[in-house]
Amino acid sequence: MLREAYIANLEAKRKPNSVAIVNFTEGELVEFIRRFVDANFKGIYVELNHNYYDRISSMIPLNQEMKSANESAELKYSSHLKLYSMFLESKHFKQLFKSRVASPNEQTSIKPGTTNVSIPPNPKQAKERELTEGEKKHVEYETAHRNPKLRQACLDKYGYQCQCCGMDFASVYGEELGANFIEVHHLQMISTFDENRPEDYVENLVPLCSNCHSMIHHGKQGPLSLRELREAYRGEKKPLIICKED
């Protein structure tokens, strides 16, 4: 019943290959969780708390092994974690069970299978309640896919050196901490790809240190060009081994 509801949820979102998504979540995602998080994980139809999957998603960028496995799988693990977490907050999941509200301030606990699930009796009350610092808030959204192979192609071309200030994390923080670390910026915003895709995806990418990456997005009229960022920079500039043209 849960599997059918998950497929229906994906189809309602017009996700292609919904059955394949479910198969991946049931199989490979479960093995990913058992390998990196909990060897005794019993499966997605036993653990029905969306916060559990959100927590795993937040662990991936902070754990190098998880991050590498996710990138090797073209970010499938992180995307499937988000999809399943959103399903657990969807009407397709909640409509599987009926609950009786005892009072406006109570939550009704139910047991689908062997797992306890608490569902807010009134969604409006949950929205009106002020969240405490650090409390998890689940938000449904769509995110644009970023191809790790294109990112690596950019780094293979220009190296791990900021194309504005010339900073190299390994030289500043040491090889053990800083080697092979830098951020990659889309010169043409990825949010505009539906209207106008770049002719060369790799040429649209540029390595930037964290400070320069923040500043290039800080323009008053939107993100700066690489030339504008270089002209605005006032700090010490190190020579670029391979320089990307403005």
Side-chain angles (χ1 to χ4, degrees), residues 120-181:
N122 189 337
K124 292 184 179 180
Q125 291 176 354
K127 292 180 180 179
E128 293 171 356
R129 182 176 62 82
E130 183 177 354
L131 298 176
T132 59
E133 182 74 7
E135 185 176 352
K136 299 294 184 181
K137 179 180 180 181
H138 185 76
V139 180
E140 289 196 22
Y141 65 96
E142 291 186 354
T143 182
H145 174 65
R146 287 165 168 77
N147 189 335
K149 294 181 180 179
L150 295 176
R151 180 183 190 277
Q152 189 58 52
C154 168
L155 297 175
D156 290 342
K157 183 172 183 178
Y158 299 107
Y160 292 81
Q161 185 181 25
C162 177
Q163 283 290 316
C164 178
C165 68
M167 175 190 177
D168 182 325
F169 279 89
S171 64
V172 176
Y173 294 96
E175 288 289 332
E176 183 176 353
L177 181 61
N180 299 330
F181 180 87

Side-chain angles (χ1 to χ4, degrees), residues 99-109 119-122 125:
S99 59
R100 180 177 63 84
V101 181
S103 70
N105 296 322
E106 292 181 354
Q107 289 186 338
T108 303
S109 294
I119 299 177
N122 189 337
Q125 291 176 354

